[in-house]
Amino acid sequence: MAMSKAETLPQEIIIDILSRLPAKFVGQYRCVSKQWLNFLSDPQFIKFHLTIHADKLEKKLIYVSASNSLHTITFNHNPQNGTTDAISRKLNFQQLSDNWVRVVGSCNGLVLVVNDEMIKYLINPTSLNYHRIPNFHLALPLPGSCSVYGLGYDFATDDYKVVTLSRYRGHIDNTFVDVYSVRMGLWKRLQSLPHYRAIRMRASGVLVNGALHWLARKAPDYSYVIVAFDLSDEKFLEVPTPATLDNNNFVFNKLSALRGCLCMLFDTLENEVDVWMMREYGDVESWTRFRIARLHLEYGSVPFCSIGDDVMFY
């Protein structure tokens, strides 16, 4: 009788109940029936689940170890004694070797990684599902060229996108822009960027406010600028840097994201790092500077980005 009543529950109530469960349990419930598999894999359900759990995601770090394997580190804080435990887990993907060289970025729990053959994979560290990003027939050949990548989510089309900026080494200044749609499974080439002499190579695109950001130098004076690629309209714009920024008096520089804000990091050569944070996106007056101690890590173990454990993807 209990089973009979359960079968008569409206589907919207079942969905509401399941949407409040951790992702790992929802993944198991996909095996209940074909009907459950269908609606638990539906993009609308996945988006709804992500919205509910967005504020309580378990924070982790993901990194490539010295042995070229992928690991996650989960931090568990004990409020009773004020200590924090770190739990490391190696990620083992079926039919994929441990030849990873770089973590490019993360978005909603998905992570873009590159192996030593420069093949890109979109992985889910929770379910261990992965998707190989196909090669683009217009991609610049590896010898004589260099590229940077970024991963983001287009809310307008409910699509994850991989963006590649590439250019030839030498005197050719144009930067080629290629975009891969995960939903469509297709690459396309957009307009080139002729005015930016250099995009920081090996610097991944930083995802903030629906756009990927890179630090670049702009002709003719080659001053530093931040270029942002809007994932919805697929156009570039410039984000203002701090008004007091000295373009010629810092050694190490990169972009990052902290608590949803765009940040610029500068090496002070004093065992500390200056951090500029744009507290209000697009407002040059909101840049705020503070200083943090430099983090010394063992060679080969460099945490790159945080991911959430309580997220589902198809």
Side-chain angles (χ1 to χ4, degrees):
M1 181 65 69
M3 180 61 71
S4 177
K5 289 182 178 180
E7 291 175 349
T8 62
L9 280 176
Q11 181 169 310
E12 57 268 23
I13 294 180
I14 297 177
I15 293 177
D16 182 67
I17 294 173
L18 293 177
S19 65
R20 302 177 189 279
L21 298 177
K24 59 182 179 181
F25 294 118
V26 175
Q28 295 172 0
Y29 294 153
R30 288 175 177 172
C31 301
V32 170
S33 66
K34 289 185 178 180
Q35 181 185 15
W36 280 37
L37 173 63
N38 290 335
F39 74 72
L40 292 179
S41 302
D42 184 86
Q44 294 303 317
F45 175 82
I46 294 170
K47 185 186 298 185
F48 181 50
H49 187 276
L50 174 62
T51 302
I52 291 178
H53 295 269
D55 295 331
K56 52 185 178 181
L57 297 181
E58 186 178 43
K59 296 303 180 181
K60 296 183 179 181
L61 292 177
I62 183 168
Y63 67 94
V64 178
S65 71
S67 60
N68 298 111
S69 58
L70 280 173
H71 293 254
T72 61
I73 299 179
T74 304
F75 297 95
N76 297 317
H77 179 67
N78 189 334
Q80 295 181 349
N81 55 22
T83 62
T84 299
D85 297 325
I87 301 175
S88 178
R89 180 171 72 99
K90 182 178 180 294
L91 302 182
N92 296 305
F93 297 91
Q94 293 185 359
Q95 300 178 343
L96 294 183
S97 302
D98 286 334
N99 60 346
W100 309 107
V101 296
R102 192 173 166 203
V103 179
V104 173
S106 67
C107 178
N108 294 340
L110 288 183
V111 182
L112 184 64
V113 292
V114 180
N115 66 13
D116 59 5
E117 298 176 344
M118 299 309 296
I119 300 175
K120 295 178 285 294
Y121 287 88
L122 196 58
I123 67 171
N124 185 325
T126 302
S127 66
L128 297 182
N129 291 332
Y130 59 87
H131 170 72
R132 175 173 175 169
I133 307 299
N135 294 328
F136 186 32
H137 70 281
L138 292 179
L140 300 186
L142 290 178
S145 70
C146 48
S147 300
V148 293
Y149 314 103
L151 170 68
Y153 177 70
D154 180 2
F155 287 91
T157 60
D158 189 26
D159 190 12
Y160 289 90
K161 294 180 178 180
V162 177
V163 181
T164 298
L165 308 183
S166 54
R167 61 179 173 85
Y168 289 104
R169 302 181 189 274
H171 301 291
I172 300 179
D173 293 341
N174 282 11
T175 298
F176 298 92
V177 184
D178 302 323
V179 179
Y180 176 77
S181 164
V182 175
R183 177 172 292 278
M184 301 295 294
L186 297 173
W187 281 99
K188 62 180 175 181
R189 171 155 290 180
L190 304 181
Q191 80 282 10
S192 61
L193 294 175
H195 302 299
Y196 300 100
R197 173 75 183 195
I199 302 287
R200 288 203 70 234
M201 290 299 121
R202 293 192 60 80
S204 302
V206 176
L207 182 63
V208 175
N209 201 49
L212 289 167
H213 300 75
W214 285 273
L215 197 60
R217 284 188 178 272
K218 184 178 181 180
D221 60 351
Y222 303 125
S223 59
Y224 275 100
V225 296
I226 299 173
V227 292
F229 179 78
D230 189 288
L231 290 160
S232 294
D233 62 21
E234 297 186 341
K235 294 182 180 179
F236 280 91
L237 53 88
E238 288 187 17
V239 176
T241 57
T244 59
L245 182 66
D246 186 351
N247 281 286
N248 300 311
N249 195 30
F250 53 81
V251 179
F252 167 84
N253 55 83
K254 68 172 295 185
L255 296 181
S256 184
L258 177 63
R259 297 178 180 175
C261 296
L262 185 65
C263 297
M264 300 181 70
L265 282 67
F266 303 108
D267 195 335
T268 66
L269 298 182
E270 298 174 356
N271 216 31
E272 293 179 317
V273 176
D274 273 343
V275 180
W276 284 90
M277 174 184 286
M278 180 177 267
R279 297 189 180 275
E280 297 293 334
Y281 186 81
D283 182 4
V284 66
E285 300 296 330
S286 71
W287 282 107
T288 304
R289 186 175 67 174
F290 57 94
R291 184 167 289 188
I292 60 176
R294 190 199 311 271
L295 180 63
H296 293 281
L297 299 169
E298 294 183 6
Y299 175 77
S301 299
V302 182
F304 182 85
C305 56
S306 63
I307 59 176
D309 184 50
D310 205 14
V311 186
M312 298 185 312
F313 294 94
Y314 50 90

